[in-house]
Amino acid sequence: MIANLVVGGLAAGCLYAMVGIAIVIVLNITDIANFAQGEMAMLSTFFAYWLMDGLGLAWWQAVPIAIAFGLVQGIVIQQVVIRPLIGGPVLSAIIATLGLNVVLNSVAGLIWGHQTYTFPSPFAFSPPFIIGGVPVAVDSVVNLAAALAIIVALTLFLRFTWTGLGLRAASQNQTVARLMGISITRTSAIAWGLGGLVGAVAGVLVAPSLFLDTNLMGALLIKAFAGGVLGGLNSLIGVFLGCLTIGVAENLAGAYVSPSFADATTFIVIIAVLTVRPEGVFGHVRVRKA
Amino acid sequence: MSAAIDIMRVARPRASPGWGTAVVGICLLFACAAPLGLNGYGLYLLTLTEIFVLVALGLNLLTGYAGQISLCHASFFGVGAYATAILTQKAGLPYLLSLLLGAFLTTAIGALAAVPALRLKNIYLAIATLGFGVVLQKITFEWRSLTGGGGGLALTPPSIAGYELGAVGLYYLTLILMTAGLFGAWNVSRGRTGRALLIIKDGEIAAGSLGIHASRYKVTAFAISAFYAAIAGGLFAYLVRYINPESFSVGLSISFLSMVVIGGLGTIGGSILGAIFYVIVPELLRGIKDAPGLVFGLLLVIVMVFMPQGLWGMLRRLGRRS
């Protein structure tokens, strides 16, 4: 019983984690909490659906194109909406992403309507793994692997490439980074592109289990933020573990405390943890000298 | 640095009651005469705007002055609405008394919400307050014997001293309370508390070294802010005459925050403009086929991209140039 709940929770947590990672890349590098992340991912997923359903491409062809679309989408949005706001109040940028969230949602609604679509998955018909007597869907395993792969790839990118180092420098101190010859507008564009890319991966992997409609990401976005905050926003692995914890905690609270209080219980846990560790469990205090 | 400029601006004594007072006077005059020229729906919208102005004033004190993000203001608004409604309908107290009691209850809850906020910043604070809001909303939802749960509460018109408060009466009550709220916010922001909050926003360590008790002022800011939201909630409950836990969701909290940012952070005029924007613009867009959401979202983006300091900041810049 507990094992089933935990596995189900981990599967849900994985979905949160992928959206969470996309949010955190942008948040860490540009300080902007991107409320449009969910809708950006939703749009990329719809694009993939259109490639398969409208143009008849196979999953393996459509998904890479959709991921590239996510990357371009992130860069375009950064250039049009975020770039003019660099240096302005952060809250203004956040509210702008909120507006963007509404815009993208309406655009998707105008193009594809508000009905629900089934998004295909190449793993849908594989028999589930049985681990210790608990059935685990192949989709969940793929999601877990994908989330880990994204984390490893991003960590390597941020540690060992010049561009990645530039991104990290910009996230620590924009003025000094600029003095070292790093273009802030470019790092911001790269961050948004990466966010769009990871979001597209998340969307494509999430859609088979949640079904595709314009509100695909509505529920995930808040949970992803919450998981990120719980784990600590400046550590990718922290975000991942935080999101998994949220998924498991929700399932356990739903089963053992009260189904209707599952969300509330999760948030009480988060507030309690934050009271003790204000930077999240795996986060570290960013020293800031004014 | 910016705090110093803000404080100079805020604390500067006005040489003479000039333009500002005249504009405020004219606006109030129009507001008093409004019920003569508006139909029922127009009056409803105006009352709603004034209610949102009250919430935005309180939230602006917290976010614009103290720099604390709150995503639980919809639940303060909701607690105010439910407390007022329950005290009036079920306990039979006079409307104004229950409005006040509801506001005091919410103020206490607001101070409680500030406790986790004392150590948290930015997005961490946003998520913690969001969680607080979710918990409050869930409690209203599940406490069925008191709140009616998901079925909501239907309300009968309240009466003050035997006079039944219709749409016009409620409008004038809202107008009076909003004016009092404006006056209060104006005084708080210019006074000791407002200046202390501005310094806390810029640097808590700096504030501490000036002898400002940052935690105490943060709790005060949360409490005042919750008080404003609760009074607004108590008025809102009787404006719509039907309240439901669903109405006080995270989405509404986010709308409140957008109001403050769109209008202009840390300004009283901004709170007013933001509330007007949020009520009137969607009304104007209702005629557009298919996509009121699309246009509203676009406007939100455009306002932020071209006026990062908000509508009020834009007006002030234009005023200075001329």
Side-chain angles (χ1 to χ4, degrees), chain B residues 50-62 70 72-84 99 102-107 110 136 181 221-237 248 252-253 256:
Chain B
E50 287 172 359
I51 288 171
F52 282 170
V53 167
L54 269 175
V55 181
L57 280 173
L59 185 57
N60 213 338
L61 216 54
L62 184 66
S70 158
C72 58
H73 261 60
S75 38
F76 294 156
F77 189 64
V79 172
Y82 266 99
T84 310
L99 192 63
F104 282 140
L105 170 73
T106 316
T107 309
L136 278 181
F222 261 97
I224 296 177
S225 187
F227 181 85
Y228 270 89
I231 293 278
L235 291 167
F236 177 77
F248 308 110
L252 185 63
S253 291
F256 285 150

Side-chain angles (χ1 to χ4, degrees), chain B residues 3-29:
Chain B
I5 295 168
D6 281 345
I7 290 169
M8 295 284 277
R9 175 173 62 73
V10 170
R12 189 177 52 212
R14 296 294 156 111
S16 60
W19 273 102
T21 327
V23 172
V24 170
I26 292 170
C27 286
L28 274 181
L29 214 65

Side-chain angles (χ1 to χ4, degrees), chain A residues 12-29 32-35 37-38 41 147 150-151 154 191 194-203 206 217 219-244 246, chain B residues 123 127:
Chain A
C14 247
L15 305 184
Y16 305 156
M18 277 188 287
V19 183
I21 292 166
I23 291 171
V24 160
I25 299 165
V26 175
L27 180 67
N28 262 339
I29 295 167
I32 296 167
N34 182 9
F35 278 97
Q37 186 71 66
I150 292 172
I151 291 175
L154 278 174
L194 280 177
L197 185 148
V198 176
V201 176
V206 161
M217 292 291 179
L220 293 188
L221 192 70
I222 298 286
K223 302 279 170 59
F225 266 115
V229 161
L230 181 66
L233 289 170
N234 41 26
S235 131
L236 283 177
I237 198 76
V239 172
F240 178 67
L241 293 177
C243 287
L244 290 188
I246 297 272
Chain B
I123 195 78
I127 294 297

Side-chain angles (χ1 to χ4, degrees), chain A residues 60-119:
Chain A
W60 299 108
Q61 296 163 315
V63 167
I65 301 177
I67 291 173
F69 173 81
L71 176 78
V72 174
Q73 180 197 33
I75 294 174
V76 168
I77 286 177
Q78 190 273 344
Q79 290 290 322
V80 176
V81 178
I82 300 303
R83 193 170 171 179
L85 286 167
I86 291 178
V90 173
L91 258 180
S92 298
I94 293 178
I95 300 298
T97 66
L98 215 58
L100 205 60
N101 173 39
V102 181
V103 171
L104 294 179
N105 194 299
S106 319
V107 167
L110 285 180
I111 302 177
W112 287 285
H114 291 280
Q115 62 265 47
T116 306
Y117 300 87
T118 11
F119 193 86

Side-chain angles (χ1 to χ4, degrees), chain A residues 167-284:
Chain A
L167 288 177
R168 283 168 61 208
S171 80
Q172 281 192 352
N173 188 329
Q174 298 214 339
T175 318
V176 175
R178 192 173 277 167
L179 287 174
M180 296 294 121
I182 294 162
S183 158
I184 296 300
T185 48
R186 235 188 80 207
T187 49
S188 161
I190 294 171
W192 276 77
L194 280 177
L197 185 148
V198 176
V201 176
V204 169
L205 291 178
V206 161
S209 35
L210 294 187
F211 298 109
L212 180 60
D213 64 5
T214 48
N215 295 322
L216 173 68
M217 292 291 179
L220 293 188
L221 192 70
I222 298 286
K223 302 279 170 59
F225 266 115
V229 161
L230 181 66
L233 289 170
N234 41 26
S235 131
L236 283 177
I237 198 76
V239 172
F240 178 67
L241 293 177
C243 287
L244 290 188
T245 315
I246 297 272
V248 174
E250 250 175 9
N251 259 9
L252 292 181
Y256 291 107
V257 184
S258 133
S260 58
F261 273 99
D263 273 4
T265 318
T266 317
F267 275 113
I268 291 174
V269 172
I270 292 175
I271 295 174
V273 171
L274 285 181
T275 318
V276 186
R277 296 268 313 172
E279 300 280 331
V281 177
F282 294 92
H284 47 85

